[in-house]
Amino acid sequence: MEQALQRQTAPPRPPVEPSAPEPMFDLIEALFFAYRDFVGDADRLLLRYNFGRAHHRVLYFVDRRPGLSVAELLDLLKITKQSLSRVLKELIDGDYIEQRPGLADRRQRLLFATDAGHALALEIAHVQSRRFATALAKLPAGAREQGAAFLAAISDAGEGK
Amino acid sequence: MEQALQRQTAPPRPPVEPSAPEPMFDLIEALFFAYRDFVGDADRLLLRYNFGRAHHRVLYFVDRRPGLSVAELLDLLKITKQSLSRVLKELIDGDYIEQRPGLADRRQRLLFATDAGHALALEIAHVQSRRFATALAKLPAGAREQGAAFLAAISDAGEGK
DNA sequence: TAAATATGTCAGTTCTATTGACATATTTCA
DNA sequence: TGAAATATGTCAATAGAACTGACATATTTA
């Protein structure tokens, strides 16, 4: 008997202080789903290389900011040195990233994407951009600029950082 | 000698097929940073309860969709049953979520937030909403609607799902 | 020359997720 | 009615990505 599944309701709640405004559940959920599907694109591609999200984040920023130092990368990703080391080692061993000593400060190990690394970074960026393009096609003109401004305002560094 | 740190340049790249359009690096990075800082808010709060991101995601959706079944939750989170089980168990043991057999289908275990669970979910949502409010204050009128539409268009389910 | 800095590494741990296999209760369908 | 499908739970093993703490090396700065 295909009975209409009547959803049970939320339990009654104790009264709340009416001080706090209603949370913006629409934005909270939309950001969650957008990010989930956005990184899903990259995940699928990275499987072929036995790389994970962590590898992608490192490769992405090294490719976009050639000559990045390890310290700068750590600050960008907000992870620890030890977390980075495994991932970075694998990318270097696989010849996707290379290190060169700093010119001014030879303690530094500046990071550069190799040709292979650059190609992989670009491939992933293309897939993700295709997702954006599909989205923007459904939205009115100016949506790209508005979306970028909106996202930038949400992050701690209101600017691009 | 505080020498101006002259950034090394990217290595020359082999020529590319000009077929692919330039990736939308602005949006890619903006989404990354926005999400990183957005979940950072929740992470800090959850530390006090010895909960992680996984707990939050479960609690959030159960609170927002009272009477959600386990299968629906798995589909929403796009994780496996086994991944969910540990996290869900801890939330049930800690009395943040409770289960009740389905009315129509007694195989189901429908999930509900307890008062404590509801309070925690709301507390986190408030912190995240404060971030959105701060961002929207810097943006022109209509930014909330535009931002929500933009994010919704990016996810696979263009609608709220 | 001593202290600070940039990086690397070793060891141990935690959290989150995975796959595969199997058990139980309940519902649906032929 | 009985077999198959469904919803859920659980056990075991594993992987990936992060963490803390401690310590080593090379280099720069004071």
Side-chain angles (χ1 to χ4, degrees):
Chain A
M1 186 77 27
E2 180 76 26
Q3 177 173 351
L5 48 136
Q6 40 194 345
R7 180 135 247 155
Q8 291 186 39
T9 54
R13 301 293 178 197
V16 209
E17 17 43 271
S19 63
E22 175 77 358
M24 303 190 199
F25 291 117
D26 56 339
L27 290 179
I28 290 174
E29 284 187 31
L31 181 51
F32 172 77
F33 287 123
Y35 191 79
R36 182 195 65 178
D37 295 335
F38 167 74
V39 298
D41 290 339
D43 285 348
R44 276 183 294 278
L45 263 174
L46 291 159
L47 271 184
R48 301 208 302 255
Y49 300 83
N50 281 311
F51 285 155
R53 269 179 213 183
H55 299 88
H56 177 220
R57 288 198 289 267
V58 169
L59 178 60
Y60 176 86
F61 282 114
V62 170
D63 183 56
R64 290 296 297 165
R65 292 160 174 76
L68 198 69
S69 74
V70 170
E72 288 169 326
L73 184 53
L74 289 176
D75 184 58
L76 219 50
L77 299 178
K78 303 262 190 273
I79 60 173
T80 61
K81 185 174 49 160
Q82 296 87 336
S83 293
L84 175 61
S85 77
R86 174 189 53 92
V87 173
L88 186 53
K89 194 176 191 332
E90 288 170 4
L91 286 166
I92 291 170
D93 289 348
D95 200 33
Y96 293 91
I97 286 181
E98 62 182 15
Q99 294 179 312
R100 302 183 212 155
L103 295 180
D105 183 342
R106 290 180 315 192
R107 289 172 304 184
Q108 293 182 322
R109 296 286 173 271
L110 305 188
L111 304 172
F112 297 85
T114 63
D115 283 348
H118 179 67
L120 177 52
L122 208 53
E123 185 183 5
I124 297 172
H126 277 139
V127 173
Q128 295 183 323
S129 295
R130 210 165 308 145
R131 173 177 293 277
F132 286 129
T134 303
L136 291 175
K138 298 182 228 157
L139 297 171
R144 177 173 178 171
E145 293 71 23
Q146 288 163 4
F150 177 77
L151 291 173
I154 288 172
S155 67
D156 285 333
E159 60 280 4
K161 173 142 206 189
Chain B
M1 184 87 18
E2 180 76 26
Q3 176 175 350
L5 48 135
Q6 38 194 345
R7 178 136 248 157
Q8 291 186 39
T9 54
R13 302 292 178 199
V16 209
E17 16 43 271
S19 63
E22 175 76 358
M24 304 190 199
F25 291 117
D26 55 340
L27 290 179
I28 291 174
E29 285 188 29
L31 181 52
F32 172 78
F33 287 122
Y35 191 78
R36 182 196 65 179
D37 295 334
F38 167 74
V39 297
D41 290 340
D43 286 348
R44 276 183 293 280
L45 263 174
L46 292 159
L47 271 185
R48 301 209 301 255
Y49 300 82
N50 282 311
F51 285 155
R53 272 180 209 181
H55 301 86
H56 178 220
R57 289 197 289 267
V58 170
L59 178 59
Y60 175 86
F61 282 114
V62 170
D63 184 56
R64 291 296 297 164
R65 292 159 174 76
L68 198 69
S69 74
V70 170
E72 288 169 327
L73 184 53
L74 289 177
D75 183 58
L76 219 50
L77 299 178
K78 302 263 189 272
I79 60 173
T80 61
K81 186 174 48 162
Q82 298 87 335
S83 294
L84 175 62
S85 76
R86 175 189 52 90
V87 173
L88 185 55
K89 194 177 191 334
E90 287 170 5
L91 285 166
I92 290 171
D93 288 349
D95 200 33
Y96 292 91
I97 286 181
E98 62 181 15
Q99 293 179 313
R100 302 183 212 154
L103 294 180
D105 184 342
R106 288 179 316 189
R107 289 172 303 181
Q108 294 181 321
R109 296 288 172 269
L110 306 187
L111 305 172
F112 297 86
T114 63
D115 283 347
H118 179 68
L120 176 53
L122 208 52
E123 184 183 5
I124 296 172
H126 277 138
V127 173
Q128 294 183 325
S129 295
R130 210 165 308 147
R131 173 178 293 277
F132 286 128
T134 304
L136 292 175
K138 300 182 226 156
L139 297 171
R144 176 172 179 172
E145 292 70 24
Q146 288 162 5
F150 177 77
L151 291 173
I154 289 173
S155 68
D156 285 334
E159 61 280 4
K161 173 139 208 190

